[in-house]
Amino acid sequence: MPESLLERHAEALSLFGERLRAVADDQWDAPTPCTEWSVRDLVSHVTGEQLWIPPLVSEGRTVAELGDAFSGDVLGEDPVAAWDRAAAAAHAAFAAPGALARTVRLSYGPALGSAYCSELTADCVAHTWDLSRAIGADDRLPDGLVEFSIKEVMPYADGLAASGMYAAPLEVPAGADAQTRLLGLLGRRG
């Protein structure tokens, strides 16, 4: 399982990076399916999530200790380079020996590194779809990442809307494909 989890994590990071490289200069202020965010806001959010991983997983620090270290725009002048650095460091932190079995102290309490990695992998997949939609890129997600994300999100899908980060889950038609089911769980209509 750890190897496949790390592979899915790397695949999700790579896919997001591909979509990020497709953002045109005039698309950074474009709206996204995340109604509060522009493309730049979305990319900054996902990049910021990666920045949290090394100090939390590798250094054992807490969210409280880090405070607002990764708040605001974390992209600087070169969003692709900022993403590449953050994604590489995040994956290296999760791939370190013992990292997935380590307890990580998150804002909502302690979690295994593997659970944190799974959560952020599914989140990266969802935001890859958001970014794809925002810039008019192909929004089909790889089947393996979709299935992985459904399994990750299913147990807590109903609580996502309460977090304020997602819309309420949507009903999807019987026989809908896996991506449509995933998007429905996340309050998105494909």
mmCIF file with all atom_site columns, all heavy atoms in Angstrom, residues 160-171:
data_model
loop_
_atom_site.group_PDB
_atom_site.id
_atom_site.type_symbol
_atom_site.label_atom_id
_atom_site.label_alt_id
_atom_site.label_comp_id
_atom_site.label_asym_id
_atom_site.label_entity_id
_atom_site.label_seq_id
_atom_site.pdbx_PDB_ins_code
_atom_site.Cartn_x
_atom_site.Cartn_y
_atom_site.Cartn_z
_atom_site.occupancy
_atom_site.B_iso_or_equiv
_atom_site.pdbx_formal_charge
_atom_site.auth_seq_id
_atom_site.auth_comp_id
_atom_site.auth_asym_id
_atom_site.auth_atom_id
_atom_site.pdbx_PDB_model_num
ATOM 1  N N   . LEU A 1 160 ? -17.707 17.546 4.205  1.00 0.00 ? 160 LEU A N   1
ATOM 2  C CA  . LEU A 1 160 ? -16.899 18.521 3.474  1.00 0.00 ? 160 LEU A CA  1
ATOM 3  C C   . LEU A 1 160 ? -17.589 19.878 3.364  1.00 0.00 ? 160 LEU A C   1
ATOM 4  O O   . LEU A 1 160 ? -16.960 20.910 3.501  1.00 0.00 ? 160 LEU A O   1
ATOM 5  C CB  . LEU A 1 160 ? -16.552 17.998 2.082  1.00 0.00 ? 160 LEU A CB  1
ATOM 6  C CG  . LEU A 1 160 ? -15.546 16.854 2.048  1.00 0.00 ? 160 LEU A CG  1
ATOM 7  C CD1 . LEU A 1 160 ? -15.375 16.342 0.623  1.00 0.00 ? 160 LEU A CD1 1
ATOM 8  C CD2 . LEU A 1 160 ? -14.204 17.283 2.616  1.00 0.00 ? 160 LEU A CD2 1
ATOM 9  N N   . ALA A 1 161 ? -18.884 19.855 3.114  1.00 0.00 ? 161 ALA A N   1
ATOM 10 C CA  . ALA A 1 161 ? -19.614 21.122 2.988  1.00 0.00 ? 161 ALA A CA  1
ATOM 11 C C   . ALA A 1 161 ? -19.567 21.907 4.301  1.00 0.00 ? 161 ALA A C   1
ATOM 12 O O   . ALA A 1 161 ? -19.431 23.131 4.295  1.00 0.00 ? 161 ALA A O   1
ATOM 13 C CB  . ALA A 1 161 ? -21.051 20.871 2.559  1.00 0.00 ? 161 ALA A CB  1
ATOM 14 N N   . ALA A 1 162 ? -19.631 21.202 5.415  1.00 0.00 ? 162 ALA A N   1
ATOM 15 C CA  . ALA A 1 162 ? -19.593 21.863 6.722  1.00 0.00 ? 162 ALA A CA  1
ATOM 16 C C   . ALA A 1 162 ? -18.250 22.559 6.958  1.00 0.00 ? 162 ALA A C   1
ATOM 17 O O   . ALA A 1 162 ? -18.178 23.537 7.700  1.00 0.00 ? 162 ALA A O   1
ATOM 18 C CB  . ALA A 1 162 ? -19.859 20.862 7.831  1.00 0.00 ? 162 ALA A CB  1
ATOM 19 N N   . SER A 1 163 ? -17.200 22.068 6.294  1.00 0.00 ? 163 SER A N   1
ATOM 20 C CA  . SER A 1 163 ? -15.875 22.677 6.453  1.00 0.00 ? 163 SER A CA  1
ATOM 21 C C   . SER A 1 163 ? -15.799 24.042 5.783  1.00 0.00 ? 163 SER A C   1
ATOM 22 O O   . SER A 1 163 ? -14.884 24.811 6.044  1.00 0.00 ? 163 SER A O   1
ATOM 23 C CB  . SER A 1 163 ? -14.801 21.754 5.860  1.00 0.00 ? 163 SER A CB  1
ATOM 24 O OG  . SER A 1 163 ? -14.843 21.796 4.438  1.00 0.00 ? 163 SER A OG  1
ATOM 25 N N   . GLY A 1 164 ? -16.737 24.315 4.874  1.00 0.00 ? 164 GLY A N   1
ATOM 26 C CA  . GLY A 1 164 ? -16.719 25.561 4.133  1.00 0.00 ? 164 GLY A CA  1
ATOM 27 C C   . GLY A 1 164 ? -15.812 25.529 2.912  1.00 0.00 ? 164 GLY A C   1
ATOM 28 O O   . GLY A 1 164 ? -15.763 26.480 2.145  1.00 0.00 ? 164 GLY A O   1
ATOM 29 N N   . MET A 1 165 ? -15.113 24.415 2.722  1.00 0.00 ? 165 MET A N   1
ATOM 30 C CA  . MET A 1 165 ? -14.177 24.304 1.602  1.00 0.00 ? 165 MET A CA  1
ATOM 31 C C   . MET A 1 165 ? -14.824 23.715 0.355  1.00 0.00 ? 165 MET A C   1
ATOM 32 O O   . MET A 1 165 ? -14.277 23.821 -0.736 1.00 0.00 ? 165 MET A O   1
ATOM 33 C CB  . MET A 1 165 ? -12.978 23.438 2.000  1.00 0.00 ? 165 MET A CB  1
ATOM 34 C CG  . MET A 1 165 ? -12.160 24.022 3.133  1.00 0.00 ? 165 MET A CG  1
ATOM 35 S SD  . MET A 1 165 ? -11.376 25.595 2.730  1.00 0.00 ? 165 MET A SD  1
ATOM 36 C CE  . MET A 1 165 ? -10.145 25.060 1.571  1.00 0.00 ? 165 MET A CE  1
ATOM 37 N N   . TYR A 1 166 ? -15.973 23.071 0.522  1.00 0.00 ? 166 TYR A N   1
ATOM 38 C CA  . TYR A 1 166 ? -16.649 22.416 -0.601 1.00 0.00 ? 166 TYR A CA  1
ATOM 39 C C   . TYR A 1 166 ? -18.134 22.695 -0.542 1.00 0.00 ? 166 TYR A C   1
ATOM 40 O O   . TYR A 1 166 ? -18.695 22.942 0.528  1.00 0.00 ? 166 TYR A O   1
ATOM 41 C CB  . TYR A 1 166 ? -16.451 20.885 -0.539 1.00 0.00 ? 166 TYR A CB  1
ATOM 42 C CG  . TYR A 1 166 ? -15.040 20.447 -0.790 1.00 0.00 ? 166 TYR A CG  1
ATOM 43 C CD1 . TYR A 1 166 ? -14.126 20.336 0.247  1.00 0.00 ? 166 TYR A CD1 1
ATOM 44 C CD2 . TYR A 1 166 ? -14.603 20.150 -2.075 1.00 0.00 ? 166 TYR A CD2 1
ATOM 45 C CE1 . TYR A 1 166 ? -12.819 19.931 0.018  1.00 0.00 ? 166 TYR A CE1 1
ATOM 46 C CE2 . TYR A 1 166 ? -13.306 19.741 -2.316 1.00 0.00 ? 166 TYR A CE2 1
ATOM 47 C CZ  . TYR A 1 166 ? -12.416 19.637 -1.267 1.00 0.00 ? 166 TYR A CZ  1
ATOM 48 O OH  . TYR A 1 166 ? -11.131 19.249 -1.505 1.00 0.00 ? 166 TYR A OH  1
ATOM 49 N N   . ALA A 1 167 ? -18.779 22.602 -1.681 1.00 0.00 ? 167 ALA A N   1
ATOM 50 C CA  . ALA A 1 167 ? -20.235 22.671 -1.733 1.00 0.00 ? 167 ALA A CA  1
ATOM 51 C C   . ALA A 1 167 ? -20.791 21.327 -1.256 1.00 0.00 ? 167 ALA A C   1
ATOM 52 O O   . ALA A 1 167 ? -20.068 20.334 -1.171 1.00 0.00 ? 167 ALA A O   1
ATOM 53 C CB  . ALA A 1 167 ? -20.694 22.961 -3.163 1.00 0.00 ? 167 ALA A CB  1
ATOM 54 N N   . ALA A 1 168 ? -22.072 21.301 -0.964 1.00 0.00 ? 168 ALA A N   1
ATOM 55 C CA  . ALA A 1 168 ? -22.714 20.055 -0.533 1.00 0.00 ? 168 ALA A CA  1
ATOM 56 C C   . ALA A 1 168 ? -22.647 19.026 -1.656 1.00 0.00 ? 168 ALA A C   1
ATOM 57 O O   . ALA A 1 168 ? -22.686 19.383 -2.835 1.00 0.00 ? 168 ALA A O   1
ATOM 58 C CB  . ALA A 1 168 ? -24.165 20.328 -0.159 1.00 0.00 ? 168 ALA A CB  1
ATOM 59 N N   . PRO A 1 169 ? -22.535 17.742 -1.299 1.00 0.00 ? 169 PRO A N   1
ATOM 60 C CA  . PRO A 1 169 ? -22.521 16.703 -2.329 1.00 0.00 ? 169 PRO A CA  1
ATOM 61 C C   . PRO A 1 169 ? -23.774 16.791 -3.202 1.00 0.00 ? 169 PRO A C   1
ATOM 62 O O   . PRO A 1 169 ? -24.846 17.168 -2.737 1.00 0.00 ? 169 PRO A O   1
ATOM 63 C CB  . PRO A 1 169 ? -22.511 15.397 -1.536 1.00 0.00 ? 169 PRO A CB  1
ATOM 64 C CG  . PRO A 1 169 ? -21.995 15.761 -0.185 1.00 0.00 ? 169 PRO A CG  1
ATOM 65 C CD  . PRO A 1 169 ? -22.435 17.180 0.042  1.00 0.00 ? 169 PRO A CD  1
ATOM 66 N N   . LEU A 1 170 ? -23.604 16.465 -4.472 1.00 0.00 ? 170 LEU A N   1
ATOM 67 C CA  . LEU A 1 170 ? -24.703 16.494 -5.428 1.00 0.00 ? 170 LEU A CA  1
ATOM 68 C C   . LEU A 1 170 ? -25.140 15.075 -5.754 1.00 0.00 ? 170 LEU A C   1
ATOM 69 O O   . LEU A 1 170 ? -24.321 14.157 -5.768 1.00 0.00 ? 170 LEU A O   1
ATOM 70 C CB  . LEU A 1 170 ? -24.258 17.177 -6.726 1.00 0.00 ? 170 LEU A CB  1
ATOM 71 C CG  . LEU A 1 170 ? -23.718 18.595 -6.615 1.00 0.00 ? 170 LEU A CG  1
ATOM 72 C CD1 . LEU A 1 170 ? -23.171 19.048 -7.964 1.00 0.00 ? 170 LEU A CD1 1
ATOM 73 C CD2 . LEU A 1 170 ? -24.782 19.540 -6.108 1.00 0.00 ? 170 LEU A CD2 1
ATOM 74 N N   . GLU A 1 171 ? -26.422 14.919 -6.038 1.00 0.00 ? 171 GLU A N   1
ATOM 75 C CA  . GLU A 1 171 ? -26.880 13.624 -6.518 1.00 0.00 ? 171 GLU A CA  1
ATOM 76 C C   . GLU A 1 171 ? -26.426 13.474 -7.960 1.00 0.00 ? 171 GLU A C   1
ATOM 77 O O   . GLU A 1 171 ? -26.450 14.431 -8.733 1.00 0.00 ? 171 GLU A O   1
ATOM 78 C CB  . GLU A 1 171 ? -28.406 13.539 -6.431 1.00 0.00 ? 171 GLU A CB  1
ATOM 79 C CG  . GLU A 1 171 ? -28.888 13.395 -5.002 1.00 0.00 ? 171 GLU A CG  1
ATOM 80 C CD  . GLU A 1 171 ? -30.324 12.909 -4.939 1.00 0.00 ? 171 GLU A CD  1
ATOM 81 O OE1 . GLU A 1 171 ? -30.739 12.119 -5.802 1.00 0.00 ? 171 GLU A OE1 1
ATOM 82 O OE2 . GLU A 1 171 ? -31.006 13.341 -4.005 1.00 0.00 ? 171 GLU A OE2 1
#
